[in-house]
Amino acid sequence: MNRKAFYHLLKRYVENDCSEEERKLVEQWYELLGDDEGVDPTLPPQEIKETLERLWPKIQHQTVLAETGPAVSRPAKIIPVWVRWLSAAVIAGGIISATWWLVANKDETVSHQVIAGLNQVKNETLFNDTVHLPDGSQVILEPKAIVRFSDHFSGPKREVYLEGNAFFKVTRNPKSPFYVYSNNIVTQVLGTSFFVKTNSLTKNVEVAVQTGKVAVYEYGKETVQERRNDESSGVILKPNQKVIYSGADHHFRTTLVEIPLPVVVNKNAEEKVTELNFVFDEAPMTRVLNYLEQAYHIEMVMENESLAKCLFSGDIKGQDLYDQLEIICESIQATYEIRGTRILIKGSGCE
């Protein structure tokens, strides 16, 4: 998770607008704080603000290193120092003051104009900014991103035009589907939350789903039949899945998001995930993987039928999915691979 995404999560945490799993994730980061950092979570907000001010050059330096480093297939296990500092500020309640300080020191502002009959909002700040749409939907704009929309969402479509990166939290309305146009890619939803990111150099577009289901296809491939006749022209994404569209060859590549989170679709599902607790005692692999599938809505496949005979005992709560899989696989001398939107478990199995 980069600085921008983490700042966005902190902001939603403070505003009590994050999911239960995101809240747990922030609090798990807090639990990783160590005495070596000299962090006192009981510091008053003013002292936390002063600490952040003193550390801000270091935070920026760490961010540059993280964003210019080589790409990896999954997030690193070591949480950067600046994340741990900000986590402490969140739990201490001082992030509100810290946020005020960061915003007060930004160089530019958010601009709002009306162009060709559409509202245009451009985020010229250094941080994410929330835009509220006429239907109650929210758009979290990353720096330099632009969103355009009409004053009223009337008719059979709610249409939004995006340049740059943004997170959408869409109000559900089956009678009026929500469309996001980014370059020549269309993301169509009824009501869900998802990211849309555009690489300014390659013009590639990435869509990642947090909740709900979305259809992603090229502009002009408006009908289901058109998309069905051309397999490369669109995909359907579910939670914890993402697609990367290549503008060069018009190809869609689907895979999993960097940090899959348990999917909570209703109260019963939330209770089920809570009861699960990821604690197993001599559980067969079929049961373990079935629990992971239910929690993350990601298909798990065993390469070898003998793997089903393996038993797993352990407490893997508080870990992200990929760490959970590493612990499970290590215990049965197996490995895992991400194959598209599925996870393949490989190994010789057990007798």
Side-chain angles (χ1 to χ4, degrees):
M1 179 175 291
N2 60 29
R3 172 178 60 82
K4 299 169 185 176
F6 184 66
Y7 177 82
H8 167 221
L9 176 56
L10 291 182
K11 183 177 180 182
R12 289 191 289 116
Y13 179 94
V14 172
E15 295 174 347
N16 197 28
D17 190 33
C18 61
S19 67
E20 178 66 16
E21 293 305 321
E22 289 174 325
R23 181 186 65 77
K24 291 179 181 179
L25 186 60
V26 172
E27 293 176 359
Q28 286 166 12
W29 279 330
Y30 169 66
E31 291 174 359
L32 293 176
L33 289 167
D35 295 336
D36 57 313
E37 301 296 345
V39 177
D40 181 1
T42 63
L43 286 174
Q46 179 61 28
E47 292 189 32
I48 291 179
K49 185 188 75 172
E50 293 173 355
T51 301
L52 286 172
E53 183 174 5
R54 177 172 55 82
L55 287 178
W56 186 242
K58 184 176 181 180
I59 293 173
Q60 289 180 310
H61 176 66
Q62 293 293 337
T63 300
V64 170
L65 291 179
E67 294 184 351
T68 58
V72 293
S73 59
R74 54 156 302 180
K77 294 182 181 179
I78 300 175
I79 297 177
V81 172
W82 61 270
V83 170
R84 298 167 70 182
W85 275 98
L86 288 179
S87 298
V90 169
I91 304 303
I95 193 63
I96 296 176
S97 293
T99 302
W100 170 87
W101 173 79
L102 293 175
V103 172
N105 284 272
K106 62 190 178 184
D107 298 325
E108 299 175 281
T109 60
V110 176
S111 63
H112 191 165
Q113 305 176 54
V114 177
I115 299 177
L118 295 177
N119 292 290
Q120 174 177 293
V121 180
K122 181 178 182 180
N123 184 4
E124 297 175 305
T125 73
L126 299 176
F127 309 102
N128 295 339
D129 185 75
T130 302
V131 178
H132 297 275
L133 301 181
D135 65 338
S137 299
Q138 297 178 23
V139 184
I140 313 298
L141 288 180
E142 291 192 5
K144 299 182 181 180
I146 300 173
V147 63
R148 299 183 181 90
F149 55 94
S150 62
D151 280 328
H152 305 285
F153 284 149
S154 58
K157 290 184 178 181
R158 293 174 287 169
E159 298 179 304
V160 170
Y161 302 86
L162 174 69
E163 295 180 22
N165 303 338
F167 175 79
F168 289 82
K169 188 174 183 181
V170 178
T171 300
R172 182 173 179 81
N173 183 358
K175 295 181 179 179
S176 181
F178 192 95
Y179 292 81
V180 178
Y181 300 91
S182 181
N183 283 358
N184 63 325
I185 290 300
V186 183
T187 302
Q188 176 185 347
V189 305
L190 294 178
T192 184
S193 55
F194 57 96
F195 287 94
V196 178
K197 301 180 180 181
T198 304
N199 187 309
S200 58
L201 296 179
T202 64
K203 304 303 180 183
N204 290 352
V205 179
E206 176 181 318
V207 178
V209 176
Q210 186 177 87
T211 61
K213 183 188 297 184
V214 308
V216 183
Y217 52 90
E218 287 184 307
Y219 183 77
K221 304 288 185 179
E222 295 291 343
T223 68
V224 174
Q225 188 61 43
E226 285 176 315
R227 298 197 295 273
R228 184 178 298 158
N229 291 340
D230 184 358
E231 294 182 357
S232 67
S233 64
V235 296
I236 302 294
L237 295 178
K238 298 178 181 180
N240 288 323
Q241 297 180 356
K242 72 175 183 179
V243 63
I244 300 173
Y245 168 78
S246 171
D249 56 14
H250 304 274
H251 180 69
F252 291 84
R253 181 174 66 85
T254 56
T255 184
L256 298 178
V257 299
E258 283 76 10
I259 305 179
L261 295 174
V263 180
V264 178
V265 294
N266 52 50
K267 288 187 176 180
N268 291 333
E270 184 174 2
E271 290 173 0
K272 191 173 186 64
V273 171
T274 302
E275 290 173 0
L276 174 61
N277 213 20
F278 298 114
V279 179
F280 301 94
D281 182 17
E282 293 295 310
M285 282 300 297
T286 50
R287 181 175 167 224
V288 174
L289 296 181
N290 182 56
Y291 275 23
L292 293 178
E293 283 187 342
Q294 290 182 36
Y296 295 97
H297 289 207
I298 296 174
E299 184 180 358
M300 308 278 174
V301 180
M302 289 182 287
E303 181 185 54
N304 189 332
E305 292 183 0
S306 296
L307 287 167
K309 300 178 182 179
C310 297
L311 302 178
F312 173 73
S313 296
D315 180 350
I316 55 175
K317 64 176 180 292
Q319 307 286 337
D320 68 45
L321 173 61
Y322 299 128
D323 285 339
Q324 290 175 334
L325 287 171
E326 286 186 3
I327 294 171
I328 293 169
C329 289
E330 184 176 354
S331 72
I332 62 172
Q333 297 183 334
T335 59
Y336 76 91
E337 291 182 6
I338 298 174
R339 296 283 184 88
T341 57
R342 304 191 303 173
I343 291 178
L344 176 66
I345 309 299
K346 304 174 63 176
S348 57
C350 305
E351 296 298 332

